[in-house]
Amino acid sequence: MNVLLSVKYFLPEIALTGFAVTALILGLFVKRRAFLGIFCLLGLLCAVLLMPQSYQATSPLFSGMLINDSFSEFFKEIVFLVIGLVILVSMGYKAFSDEDAGEYYFLLLAVTVAMMIAASSNNLMMIYIALEAVSLMSYILVGFLKTDRRSSEAGLKYFLFGALATGVMLYGISFIYGLFGTTDLAEISRVLAAGNVNIFASMIALLLIFAGLSFKCALVPFHMWVPDAYQGAPTPVTALISAGPKAIGFAILIRVFLKNFFPLFPGWSEMVSVIAIITMTAGNILAINQENIKRLLGYSSIAQAGYILIGFVVGTALGIQGMMFYILAYVLMNIGAFGCVVLISNRLGTDYIEDYSGLSKREPVLAFLLTVFLLSLAGIPPLAGFFGKFLVFAAAIESKCYILAIAGVINSVLAIYYYVKIIKFMYLAEPRAGLPVSVLPVPATPGTGAVKLALIIALIGIIVAGLFPGLFIGWISASLL
């Protein structure tokens, strides 16, 4: 489909771009974070309302650079969910200044557009450009607190590791172009299937691209940026980079490798199986001794990526369904957990787990909500995290990948230890000296209601997805490639 005909199926992205630019301009005159946050939520709502029109398109857009299928629509909706919750959480984050609200929300909406384009990309160059746009804005957001040394360091480290991953991925794409004379996914797949290309060189090129995408998904050994970036970034941004780019990274892995290349290289499943097991194990073992909850959740997110990768290794319809359900559940429970961290940090001024001692006496509702999100991350029934794990493990067993399934179960048991450790501090330990013990409410910071709304949405989501997974499975089944 040519450019002019494609534009009408690109309306959500165009609308969001307009809202992003308007938010930036409004930020020059309106120094109220809540107002700009609501304005951006309206932008997301506008984009959602424009989506049904896009569902009618099944042809490639912009001369094949993008494709607007049900699979891309699913991940766009995941992106809307992520950004909507992050905006709500950001409205109550104490460390943000109203002075910078316009720039901050502009970056949030801009990264949303970039992630939407990445989800629809049907060409390696378009994937590269979209991911670069996501990365550049993520680097700025991680280092957004200009006067905070840890935030600046985190942004720099994230940038350096990201630049390395980008270079590796671009090197792989250049190999592909040299071998195939095109970067179009369908054309590359057709040439590969015909056997008219050097298979060994093709595998090297695809391996380099896989390495670049592994950075986005925080897979071992491309995970080194996670703990420092998670700890140093503003907490709402940590929630964003833990969920949004990771979901998009997996979407691209599915579209590029499972749809086009994976079936042609059966040996890849063994290699990715090893990566999945190492990722799960490394994430869980390194999380055990963490004292800062943001670093702990960072290592936990590495382990969660390993569970999701099980569905990728299996590659069956059930495996991909499991991946997509897990990603949905992960977004809700992870942003929910970080939302609780924001409120606790506002009240206590700390992110260290020991300072959570006796939290159930000071903030019983907040302690309960964090407990639910942690139990869901641990995979305790009947929450959404349990059903996500169940689906990917069932897919592994169905495909006779027993070692992968056993490794996943063992790691899930291992993970319970550090999640329960936080709950133990909140409910069984006495408050540390110098911290308030009163159950009287502490004066709320502006925007606390918005964070609570995000927590309620996430809580309802993980409970409904856990108790009634069929509601989501039907949606996911209709979105498979």
Side-chain angles (χ1 to χ4, degrees):
M1 194 178 292
N2 64 36
V3 173
L4 289 177
L5 290 176
S6 300
V7 167
K8 67 178 181 180
Y9 298 108
F10 201 62
L11 290 179
E13 287 86 348
I14 294 172
L16 268 183
T17 303
F19 271 92
V21 174
T22 308
L24 182 63
I25 296 170
L26 280 176
L28 298 173
F29 308 100
V30 181
K31 303 299 181 185
R32 293 186 61 190
R33 198 184 342 156
F35 173 81
L36 290 172
I38 293 170
F39 177 78
C40 292
L41 288 174
L42 287 175
L44 283 181
L45 180 62
C46 179
V48 170
L49 293 176
L50 290 169
M51 289 287 280
Q53 185 180 352
S54 301
Y55 271 117
Q56 299 170 12
T58 54
S59 302
L61 308 179
F62 300 107
S63 304
M65 299 299 281
L66 301 178
I67 189 163
N68 216 13
D69 52 13
S70 56
F71 179 78
S72 66
E73 300 292 350
F74 172 84
F75 280 95
K76 286 178 186 178
E77 285 157 5
I78 291 288
V79 168
F80 290 150
L81 179 62
V82 170
I83 299 298
L85 292 176
V86 168
I87 288 174
L88 287 173
V89 171
S90 301
M91 289 164 71
Y93 185 53
K94 196 174 178 180
F96 277 149
S97 161
D98 284 356
E99 294 294 319
D100 299 324
E103 297 171 34
Y104 177 74
Y105 286 120
F106 165 78
L107 288 167
L108 276 189
L109 291 190
V111 82
T112 307
V113 175
M115 287 193 284
M116 291 170 70
I117 293 173
S120 295
S121 296
N122 195 39
N123 185 293
L124 288 176
M125 282 313 299
M126 183 53 70
I127 289 172
Y128 169 74
I129 292 168
L131 283 181
E132 268 308 279
V134 173
S135 299
L136 288 173
M137 281 173 278
S138 299
Y139 303 149
I140 299 170
L141 285 167
V142 168
F144 196 77
L145 299 177
K146 305 178 191 72
T147 56
D148 187 325
R149 184 177 59 82
R150 287 182 310 172
S151 178
S152 302
E153 284 184 8
L156 181 60
K157 287 181 181 176
Y158 191 24
F159 167 74
L160 292 175
F161 280 112
L164 177 64
T166 298
V168 170
M169 184 177 174
L170 190 58
Y171 199 45
I173 293 174
S174 68
F175 262 37
I176 288 287
Y177 186 75
L179 289 167
F180 296 87
T182 179
T183 52
D184 182 78
L185 291 177
E187 184 64 18
I188 294 169
S189 180
R190 189 189 63 74
V191 176
L192 265 177
N196 298 326
V197 70
N198 186 313
I199 294 298
F200 179 74
S202 303
M203 286 186 68
I204 296 294
L206 293 176
L207 187 63
L208 292 172
I209 297 172
F210 184 87
L213 292 172
S214 296
F215 172 83
K216 295 295 170 202
C217 301
L219 303 177
V220 174
F222 305 98
H223 68 290
M224 284 84 80
W225 59 276
V226 169
D228 291 333
Y230 275 41
Q231 185 180 1
T235 307
V237 175
T238 309
L240 168 67
I241 62 173
S242 72
K246 183 172 287 186
I248 292 303
F250 278 112
I252 294 173
L253 277 178
I254 294 171
R255 187 184 292 282
V256 173
F257 288 91
L258 284 186
K259 184 183 178 187
N260 292 286
F261 305 136
F262 211 50
L264 303 173
F265 300 106
W268 276 57
S269 61
E270 284 76 16
M271 182 197 76
V272 183
S273 295
V274 173
I275 294 174
I277 293 172
I278 294 175
T279 301
M280 285 185 282
T281 308
N284 283 324
I285 289 176
L286 292 170
I288 288 175
N289 290 323
Q290 297 304 315
E291 297 178 350
N292 183 291
I293 193 165
K294 289 169 73 176
R295 289 182 76 88
L296 184 146
L297 290 174
Y299 281 113
S300 152
S301 77
I302 296 171
Q304 302 283 348
Y307 302 134
I308 297 171
L309 200 61
I310 292 176
F312 178 79
V313 173
V314 174
T316 60
L318 181 59
I320 300 172
Q321 278 181 358
M323 285 181 77
M324 294 166 74
F325 186 92
Y326 205 120
I327 288 169
L328 173 64
Y330 175 76
V331 164
L332 292 168
M333 54 196 184
N334 215 44
I335 296 182
F338 278 114
C340 292
V341 172
V342 165
L343 289 183
I344 295 169
S345 177
N346 285 349
R347 304 289 175 91
L348 304 182
T350 176
D351 291 325
Y352 283 89
I353 297 169
E354 274 200 5
D355 293 331
Y356 284 37
S357 301
L359 187 71
S360 61
K361 297 175 183 174
R362 299 191 299 267
E363 298 286 347
V365 176
L366 201 49
F368 170 76
L369 288 172
L370 182 56
T371 300
V372 174
F373 293 127
L374 292 175
L375 291 177
S376 185
L377 283 165
I380 303 299
L383 301 168
F386 165 77
F387 200 78
K389 283 187 171 71
F390 174 80
L391 279 179
V392 293
F393 296 164
I397 293 170
E398 182 192 63
S399 300
K400 300 182 180 177
C401 300
Y402 299 120
I403 294 177
L404 207 52
I406 291 169
V409 172
I410 292 173
N411 270 285
S412 297
V413 174
L414 184 64
I416 291 174
Y417 172 78
Y418 58 79
Y419 289 124
V420 170
K421 183 178 76 172
I422 303 171
I423 298 171
K424 187 193 80 172
F425 270 109
M426 292 192 294
Y427 282 91
L428 300 180
E430 290 298 319
R432 295 184 68 186
L435 292 175
V437 295
S438 171
V439 297
L440 293 174
V442 178
T445 54
T448 297
V451 185
K452 288 179 179 176
L453 177 60
L455 296 183
I456 291 169
I457 293 171
L459 179 70
I460 292 173
I462 62 170
I463 291 175
V464 172
L467 292 175
F468 309 103
L471 296 175
F472 298 89
I473 293 296
W475 172 36
I476 291 169
S477 299
S479 304
L480 294 178
L481 282 173

